[in-house]
Amino acid sequence: MSDEIDFHLGKRMRRRRRLLGLTQQQLADACGVRFQQIQKYECGANRVSAARLWKIAGALEVQMNYFFEGLAEAASPPATRDESADLVRTYHALGERPRRRLVEVARALGRDDAA
């Protein structure tokens, strides 16, 4: 999942940089890094620290949230351990018939996702 986030941030960075007509070198100079580092950020090969992202946002004249727009749909976090344990406890508290129905629903949802 983190690779998807890194790629998304890099894509947004590249899009904004090009919109402003900046080269990778110009953005790198504004942020205090080498242009190769900007290349790595833009292709998602390297992660961007919060401090560096702050500098990049300033150089690209955007708010920090610009980089995360559109990400929520693509990268929803997996269930936490507490949620999983709660789901198992709730499942076992059900009677046999509701459990079978729940399993059928889960299988149907899995087939829908696979299709």
Side-chain angles (χ1 to χ4, degrees):
M1 184 60 65
S2 62
D3 293 338
E4 292 176 31
I5 295 170
D6 298 332
F7 179 74
H8 181 83
L9 292 176
K11 188 168 65 170
R12 299 284 294 170
M13 187 184 306
R14 179 182 300 119
R15 181 180 301 151
R16 181 65 182 173
R17 177 181 60 77
R18 288 180 174 173
L19 182 69
L20 294 176
L22 296 174
T23 65
Q24 289 179 334
Q25 184 63 56
Q26 289 169 321
L27 180 57
D29 291 342
C31 299
V33 297
R34 296 178 183 220
F35 82 91
Q36 291 95 336
Q37 189 62 45
I38 298 298
Q39 285 177 329
K40 291 176 183 180
Y41 290 151
E42 287 186 354
C43 71
N46 283 13
R47 291 191 173 152
V48 185
S49 71
R52 183 67 41 77
L53 191 59
W54 181 268
K55 288 181 182 180
I56 292 170
L60 295 177
E61 302 171 0
V62 292
Q63 298 291 320
M64 290 278 286
N65 64 340
Y66 166 82
F67 298 105
F68 300 95
E69 290 173 3
L71 186 61
E73 301 83 36
S76 58
T80 65
R81 192 173 271 188
D82 290 339
E83 290 172 327
S84 299
D86 186 40
L87 180 61
V88 169
R89 277 192 301 275
T90 304
Y91 172 82
H92 286 294
L94 294 172
E96 183 181 343
R97 189 170 181 205
R99 278 199 308 244
R100 278 187 280 148
R101 287 183 179 167
L102 184 59
V103 169
E104 289 170 10
V105 169
R107 286 184 181 142
L109 289 172
R111 286 190 297 269
D112 288 347
D113 285 345

